[in-house]
Amino acid sequence: MENPKYPLLFKDGDITIGGLFAVRSIETLPSFEFRQRPQPLSCSSVNIRDFRIAQTMTFTIEEINRSETLLPNVSIGYRIYDTCGSRLSSMSATMSVMNGQEFAAEDKCNGQTPIHAIIGETESSATVILSRTTGPFKIPVISHSATCECLSNRKDFPSFFRTIASDYHQSRALAYIVKHFGWSWVGAVNSDNDYGNNGMAIFLNTAQEEGICIEYSVKFYRTEHEKLQKVVNVIKQSTTKVIIAFLSRVEMVNLLEQLSIQNITGLQMIGVEAWITAKSLITPNSFNVLGGSLGFAVRKLDIEGFSDYVVKAFWDTAFPCSQEDGNSSQDALSCSRYQDLLVLKKYNEDVPEQRYASNVYKAVYAVAYALHSLLKCKEKEGCEKHLTIQPQQVIESLKNVNFTVTFGDRVWFDSSGAAVAQYEVVNWQQDSDGSIQFKAVGYYDASLPPDQRFVLNTENIIWAGGQLEKPRSVCSESCPPGTRKAVQKGRPVCCYDCIPCADGEISNETDSNNCMQCPGEFWSNAERNKCVLKAVEFLSFTEVMGIVLVFFSLFGVGITVLVTDLLYSKKDTPIVKANNSELSFLLLFSLTLCFLCSLTFIGRPTEWSCMLRHTAFGITFVLCISCVLGKTIVVLMAFKATLPGSNVMKWFGPVQQRLSVLAFTLIQVLICVLWLTISPPFPYKNMKYYKEKIILECSLGSTVGFWAVLGYIGLLALLCFILAFLGRKLPDNFNEAKFITFSMLIFCAVWITFIPAYVSSPGKFTVAVEIFAILASSFGLLFCIFAPKCYIILFKPEQNTKQHLMGKTQTKSY
């Protein structure tokens, strides 16, 4: 475009600092028909914020020039250019500030830049252009508001500094504030430029780390009206109530306009420092959309004397013309070009909200301190003005600056050339008079320890729509304790179904991802939120089944005692004498023990009861079967003794009978002793059969011992059955072998049936089956052997005679 751009504001000095600010915001492009020389770019519509920033720069330079300690006898000049908020104008202004007016007067560059540092730009994208252009010439650039994290790359931007923190901290803080309020379902909108894209990328990564789901992430640029309409439609159709608006001020103005037109309200906006405190967003209808917005803002610091300067000294010293002298000119510029600025001469209501002013103030002072060091300035002796300062030297000196400004802030640059992150959390609130205020409700300070960086006063927040209650924004409601989250297929992790925990598992937290398995002896309660001790099951004396079995056991004992008493009272009668009364009474005694031993199987198993129940059962039954076997042998011997020449009874007399019973019983005792010695039964908590309860049972210890006991009983019973069966047809009016055969038949049938029932019965029913087998076989022996005798004694006493027992009667075969 040939002709250089002229500065908006300038002042000569020993050292010159450049400034690039978007003082105006609307750019009018000339015609590019290539038929004539293009007209200069035209800018209009004053951007008050950047105009105040330009005023801050001139104010700070005037203050330094008056200082007797900082750069004494050295004056600082400035050249401030208007970039119109346009990339094209920004590039033009950058070339102008680097070269100055000498570029137009000579045929070639003189190799020296007229400036030592540049303050600017306001937006990150424009600052990227500025830094990439000035980088090869090693001209330091210090920005007051360019926050893009991309500018922290020292390889690409080695000469860039800023008195504001990068968006790395702000983007992460946005995720933290969303997490703090329990919002897991949010939308995201960003400017389609370096500032918005980099900031949103950091936010999205942090949100993922914090478990926050993004329903949508859309972007647009200020000139893309069709894209803006699509963004508004996405917002309108979404379900989230919270929107992260990582937008530059201009994009936010465009979005606000469209949201207001379509009456989209009630959304909780979370903003960034670029727009959250922008006065230009306050319109009659803006509070309907942005009311209750929360966001991070640059701290508001008051610069002493600045308010008076903006309405007095500035217009007299820094501005090329005044309202009274509107026809004067300077550097061939017409004062008519500044008419839109002159209307602000008496306006200073926005000064208290100029949050970036302090950053510009710090930036200018940082350059001054760097130059102070390079010029070897001393308070009384002044500076060595003859020294030639190269921009590269200023860069190295800026890396080491460390000073405190008048309002108390310490200024220094970290390794990436940025300042420490310090933000206020502000809330859009409406006062009683209808005015909109940016109320501070917290802060974020990255210089503090991690647990102290973020502080919020939730009670002072007014939410979207003027509500006092915090809005909810979740894809799925929280899963209560006792359930777990199951992600819905094809949707983000924040969209899930609540699935009840399985039996034996619990979740005692809200929104649990997994259910925990209860420890071995514990089980989940009905609500699945607590592990409780499993119910312990065993056959007790207090339950119905236990009471019934105890009754029949004692009933058997009672019957046995009555039979014993009856037989003892008739011990001298032929029917008692004829059937070996000694073995009969021993058998009745063993049957009593059999009935009683069933009681040892009822109740909580202990170490002693487990050993007692199996050994008592084995020994008493062997004693019982031994007596029956003895009676069977006696019957067979008695009939054999009646044959001529037979003398067998002397081999199985009373002494031999007693010894046989004792011998058979001692064998079982020996088996039991070996069992108890090698591997005795013990109490065992069976948690395999039922998951929800513990079966307290007696483990056999050695299964070989258990089956040896049962096998020995079965062997004796089988032998007894065979002998009794062989003697069932012996001629006699009262042949006891018949009844022994029946009793052994019942006994064997019961115990053969017991084996599969015992193996298949669960829990306490296993014990009940064993007790039933004991009682059934005991009752079978008792009734089959002694019922006929008792019947004759009680109801047929006429048959209880020796003549009747010795009579020849016809007997039936069985």
Side-chain angles (χ1 to χ4, degrees):
M1 311 203 90
E2 186 181 354
N3 293 327
K5 192 179 183 75
Y6 284 86
L8 177 70
L9 305 170
F10 69 92
K11 181 180 180 180
D12 293 328
D14 299 322
I15 294 171
T16 305
I17 300 177
L20 295 177
F21 309 112
V23 177
R24 296 182 179 89
S25 58
I26 298 178
E27 179 185 62
T28 304
L29 296 176
S31 174
F32 294 107
E33 297 180 354
F34 303 101
R35 295 178 181 177
Q36 60 183 5
R37 185 188 303 277
Q39 296 298 312
L41 298 174
S42 176
C43 296
S44 60
S45 185
V46 177
N47 175 7
I48 296 179
R49 184 174 73 171
D50 276 43
F51 179 59
R52 295 298 186 213
I53 288 171
Q55 289 181 298
T56 305
M57 180 174 171
T58 60
F59 167 80
T60 310
I61 290 174
E62 294 293 343
E63 185 177 272
I64 293 171
N65 286 339
R66 293 194 302 269
S67 173
E68 297 179 356
T69 57
L70 184 61
L71 291 175
N73 78 332
V74 173
S75 63
I76 300 177
Y78 53 82
R79 292 184 180 275
I80 299 175
Y81 288 80
D82 181 14
T83 65
C84 292
S86 159
R87 294 175 183 176
L88 184 59
S89 289
S90 178
M91 192 66 199
S92 176
T94 300
M95 297 305 297
S96 296
V97 76
M98 286 172 62
N99 292 284
Q101 302 306 312
E102 293 79 7
F103 180 68
E106 300 179 8
D107 294 332
K108 62 179 181 179
C109 299
N110 59 15
Q112 296 292 329
T113 178
I115 58 170
H116 293 82
I118 299 175
I119 308 298
E121 276 231 32
T122 301
E123 292 191 344
S124 293
S125 293
T127 308
V128 169
I129 294 173
L130 171 61
S131 297
R132 288 195 185 278
T133 305
T134 60
F137 305 100
K138 296 180 170 49
I139 301 174
V141 173
I142 308 175
S143 177
H144 57 285
S145 63
T147 58
C148 179
E149 171 63 13
C150 58
L151 289 164
S152 296
N153 188 334
R154 302 308 280 170
K155 183 179 179 181
D156 293 339
F157 307 101
S159 60
F160 176 75
F161 298 85
R162 51 185 159 193
T163 51
I164 192 170
S166 80
D167 281 328
Y168 174 81
H169 298 283
Q170 181 176 219
S171 298
R172 293 181 67 84
L174 284 171
Y176 297 151
I177 199 170
V178 171
K179 181 75 172 180
H180 177 82
F181 289 121
W183 297 322
S184 60
W185 189 239
V186 300
V189 183
N190 66 277
S191 300
D192 192 5
N193 55 22
D194 294 303
Y195 171 73
N197 291 331
N198 282 273
M200 183 55 69
I202 297 170
F203 167 77
L204 293 177
N205 288 335
T206 309
Q208 185 177 9
E209 294 172 3
E210 297 295 329
I212 301 165
C213 293
I214 311 300
E215 183 179 8
Y216 59 85
S217 179
V218 291
K219 57 187 177 181
F220 68 97
Y221 189 62
R222 60 194 63 174
T223 58
E224 299 173 334
H225 299 293
E226 290 184 3
K227 225 175 193 181
L228 173 59
Q229 289 298 327
K230 291 180 181 178
V231 168
V232 173
N233 289 334
V234 169
I235 294 173
K236 193 174 183 178
Q237 295 170 10
S238 67
T239 59
T240 179
K241 299 297 182 184
V242 178
I243 298 178
I244 308 300
F246 213 110
L247 299 167
S248 302
R249 183 185 58 84
V250 180
E251 278 82 13
M252 192 64 205
V253 169
N254 297 342
L255 179 62
L256 173 61
E257 180 183 358
Q258 290 301 316
L259 293 177
S260 298
I261 291 172
Q262 299 197 32
N263 195 29
I264 301 175
T265 60
L267 298 175
Q268 181 64 54
M269 292 284 184
I270 308 296
V272 289
E273 41 75 34
W275 66 265
I276 195 66
T277 56
K279 285 280 188 178
S280 58
L281 292 176
I282 300 177
T283 64
N285 296 322
S286 64
F287 193 77
N288 295 332
V289 178
L290 297 182
S293 294
L294 278 172
F296 295 99
V298 176
R299 291 187 307 152
K300 184 167 61 176
L301 299 170
D302 183 37
I303 302 175
E304 186 179 356
F306 179 63
S307 182
D308 293 333
Y309 175 80
V310 298
V311 295
K312 294 179 183 178
F314 172 77
W315 300 96
D316 297 333
T317 61
F319 213 69
C321 57
S322 65
Q323 205 166 14
E324 290 77 13
D325 189 15
N327 295 322
S328 64
S329 62
Q330 185 171 348
D331 292 344
L333 291 177
S334 173
C335 285
S336 61
R337 298 178 61 189
Y338 297 96
Q339 292 303 314
D340 53 352
L341 295 178
L342 291 171
V343 299
L344 302 174
K345 186 172 182 181
K346 302 295 182 182
Y347 178 73
N348 70 340
E349 291 181 7
D350 64 309
V351 172
E353 280 296 335
Q354 292 304 313
R355 294 173 180 264
Y356 293 99
S358 61
N359 289 345
V360 178
Y361 187 86
K362 295 175 187 176
V364 176
Y365 262 96
V367 175
Y369 273 96
L371 293 171
H372 184 89
S373 175
L374 291 171
L375 294 173
K376 302 177 182 179
C377 298
K378 297 180 181 178
E379 187 173 344
K380 294 181 180 180
E381 299 176 11
C383 304
E384 298 181 18
K385 297 173 64 173
H386 64 279
L387 294 176
T388 301
I389 304 299
Q390 297 294 333
Q392 174 65 33
Q393 294 175 279
V394 181
I395 293 174
E396 296 302 320
S397 185
L398 280 171
K399 293 178 181 179
N400 300 316
V401 297
N402 193 331
F403 61 93
T404 302
V405 291
T406 54
F407 42 79
D409 270 18
R410 190 166 69 92
V411 180
W412 58 279
F413 299 108
D414 62 19
S415 58
S416 66
V420 66
Q422 293 178 321
Y423 302 104
E424 279 184 353
V425 181
V426 298
N427 181 215
W428 278 48
Q429 298 185 13
Q430 195 170 38
D431 284 349
S432 56
D433 60 357
S435 63
I436 297 174
Q437 303 294 329
F438 308 129
K439 300 286 186 181
V441 293
Y443 66 86
Y444 179 87
D445 190 344
S447 65
L448 298 176
D451 58 335
Q452 301 175 18
R453 289 178 182 174
F454 191 50
V455 174
L456 272 176
N457 190 354
T458 310
E459 296 177 356
N460 295 338
I461 296 176
I462 301 297
W463 303 100
Q467 300 297 314
L468 298 177
E469 186 176 350
K470 179 185 69 176
R472 285 183 58 79
S473 185
V474 294
C475 182
S476 300
E477 292 299 325
S478 295
C479 289
T483 62
R484 64 174 177 86
K485 295 194 295 187
V487 177
Q488 297 173 358
K489 189 175 181 180
R491 302 197 69 190
V493 294
C494 297
C495 302
Y496 48 80
D497 297 316
C498 297
I499 307 298
C501 291
D503 291 342
E505 296 182 347
I506 65 159
S507 64
N508 53 10
E509 297 177 351
T510 302
D511 288 335
S512 178
N513 290 318
N514 297 294
C515 295
M516 298 181 295
Q517 184 73 41
C518 288
E521 295 189 13
F522 291 83
W523 195 249
S524 55
N525 60 356
E527 293 78 20
R528 303 288 195 274
N529 59 6
K530 187 187 296 183
C531 286
V532 295
L533 282 170
K534 290 181 179 179
V536 178
E537 181 182 273
F538 58 91
L539 186 61
S540 68
F541 288 100
T542 57
E543 60 182 298
V544 175
M545 186 163 56
I547 293 171
V548 170
L549 293 173
V550 168
F551 169 77
F552 279 104
S553 178
L554 295 179
F555 179 73
V557 171
I559 294 297
T560 306
V561 170
L562 290 176
V563 171
T564 303
D565 183 62
L566 178 62
L567 294 182
Y568 186 76
S569 63
K570 303 295 183 178
K571 63 181 178 179
D572 295 327
T573 59
I575 197 168
V576 176
K577 286 182 176 182
N579 291 284
N580 199 323
S581 60
E582 186 174 333
L583 286 179
S584 294
F585 286 117
L586 186 58
L587 176 59
L588 287 169
F589 173 72
S590 63
L591 284 173
T592 303
L593 294 179
C594 288
F595 282 118
L596 289 176
C597 84
S598 65
L599 297 177
T600 62
F601 288 82
I602 306 174
R604 177 182 287 272
T606 63
E607 188 175 347
W608 285 103
S609 67
C610 286
M611 290 189 291
L612 178 63
R613 65 174 58 172
H614 289 97
T615 52
F617 157 72
I619 293 171
T620 54
F621 263 81
V622 165
L623 178 62
C624 181
I625 300 301
S626 298
C627 293
V628 175
L629 182 60
K631 291 174 69 67
T632 305
I633 294 173
V634 168
V635 171
L636 291 175
M637 292 296 181
F639 279 97
K640 291 292 183 181
T642 58
L643 296 176
S646 178
N647 194 25
V648 295
M649 282 304 296
K650 71 176 182 178
W651 300 108
F652 203 72
V655 176
Q656 288 82 4
Q657 294 171 20
R658 297 188 193 100
L659 290 175
S660 65
V661 171
L662 179 61
F664 287 136
T665 306
L666 285 176
I667 293 172
Q668 184 73 306
V669 171
L670 180 61
I671 294 173
C672 290
V673 169
L674 290 173
W675 181 14
L676 295 179
T677 303
I678 297 171
S679 181
F682 59 90
Y684 170 66
K685 294 179 179 179
N686 188 341
M687 292 180 282
K688 296 180 180 178
Y689 201 93
Y690 293 109
K691 293 181 178 179
E692 72 278 8
K693 58 185 176 182
I694 299 173
I695 300 173
L696 194 59
E697 60 186 17
C698 286
S699 176
L700 298 176
S702 172
T703 53
V704 175
F706 174 72
W707 291 111
V709 169
L710 281 185
Y712 183 64
I713 295 173
L715 180 64
L716 291 181
L718 181 63
L719 179 62
C720 186
F721 174 75
I722 293 172
L723 293 178
F725 184 78
L726 292 175
R728 72 189 188 285
K729 292 184 178 182
L730 291 175
D732 189 34
N733 197 33
F734 188 79
N735 185 0
E736 198 174 28
K738 302 172 186 177
F739 307 118
I740 292 173
T741 303
F742 277 119
S743 65
M744 286 298 102
L745 188 63
I746 293 172
F747 184 90
C748 292
V750 166
W751 286 102
I752 290 172
T753 308
F754 158 77
I755 293 172
Y758 178 83
V759 172
S760 61
S761 297
K764 61 185 178 183
F765 296 102
T766 304
V767 180
V769 166
E770 194 168 358
I771 295 174
F772 176 80
I774 292 171
L775 294 178
S777 56
S778 299
F779 276 114
L781 290 173
L782 178 65
F783 285 114
C784 287
I785 294 177
F786 295 101
K789 298 177 184 178
C790 293
Y791 176 77
I792 292 173
I793 292 172
L794 294 174
F795 301 107
K796 300 289 184 178
E798 68 276 6
Q799 295 181 9
N800 191 7
T801 60
K802 188 174 182 180
Q803 292 78 9
H804 181 77
L805 292 177
M806 298 299 294
K808 302 291 186 179
T809 57
Q810 186 68 29
T811 59
K812 296 180 181 179
S813 300
Y814 295 92

